[in-house]
Amino acid sequence: MHNIPVSVNFEHYYVLLSTDTPQCFSLYAQSRLKLDKLDLSIPQFDGLSSKEMVESGRMDELEHWLEQYEFNSYMIARELKGAIKHTEDFNWIRKDLGLPLSPFVSNYATRETSIAQTIRPKDAVKIIDREIPYFKQLGFTPETATEFYG
């Protein structure tokens, strides 16, 4: 049995990469979605967000936290995917927060990174009637199965 805090937010994603896109980019996209909220509270900083850290003048702590985040991102990608040619781009957040660019980001001086979210149309996934009993055995309704298996 596990007690899950009320503040936990479950999200699911489906990543489809082209054949010439490095696999580690799916990890980077997931990380970007997490960091993309500059006003999200960070437990290590007494619940302050990265924007609030800048406003309160705690730039050194924020810089150190980002450096650790960058290093951990690299180590996770290297462990899962092997040799890494392209590191995660953290310079977007550094620019937004007024911090210096990170030399740890590959091609850091010229690199531009973005993520575009797409919304799947409601009718994109069809549940076949004969599959419904199997979904019910797993605890899914047809609606939740469509969302889960998106």
Side-chain angles (χ1 to χ4, degrees):
M1 175 180 258
H2 296 281
N3 291 324
I4 299 174
V6 175
S7 62
V8 169
N9 183 23
F10 289 98
E11 297 175 326
H12 61 274
Y13 302 97
Y14 178 77
V15 178
L16 182 62
L17 301 172
S18 62
T19 54
D20 59 339
T21 303
Q23 293 294 306
C24 59
F25 280 26
S26 62
L27 294 170
Y28 300 162
Q30 182 179 1
S31 175
R32 171 71 183 260
L33 290 171
K34 181 180 175 185
L35 276 181
D36 211 19
K37 301 167 183 85
L38 296 178
D39 56 350
L40 192 66
S41 76
I42 303 169
Q44 298 93 311
F45 299 138
D46 306 318
L48 295 177
S49 69
S50 50
K51 277 185 176 179
E52 292 169 330
M53 290 292 291
V54 170
E55 291 166 3
S56 63
R58 295 170 67 180
M59 302 292 275
D60 289 342
E61 290 174 84
L62 185 60
E63 175 71 30
H64 183 68
W65 180 76
L66 277 170
E67 288 171 354
Q68 287 179 327
Y69 204 97
E70 292 173 11
F71 178 74
N72 289 336
S73 167
Y74 172 77
M75 293 304 288
I76 290 168
R78 195 177 96 186
E79 184 176 314
L80 293 175
K81 306 295 180 186
I84 301 299
K85 183 177 178 182
H86 305 284
T87 59
E88 185 171 351
D89 184 2
F90 288 95
N91 286 333
W92 68 271
I93 191 172
R94 289 173 164 283
K95 289 175 188 175
D96 288 350
L97 295 172
L99 294 170
L101 297 181
S102 170
F104 191 70
V105 173
S106 52
N107 302 324
Y108 74 96
T110 58
R111 185 166 166 186
E112 291 291 327
T113 304
S114 65
I115 291 182
Q117 285 184 301
T118 58
I119 306 299
R120 176 180 48 86
K122 287 286 183 192
D123 60 351
V125 177
K126 301 283 187 203
I127 297 293
I128 301 168
D129 287 340
R130 69 176 182 268
E131 294 177 343
I132 292 175
Y134 300 112
F135 286 120
K136 285 184 177 178
Q137 283 181 336
L138 294 170
F140 292 107
T141 66
E143 294 78 26
T144 57
T146 355
E147 288 302 314
F148 184 78
Y149 288 104

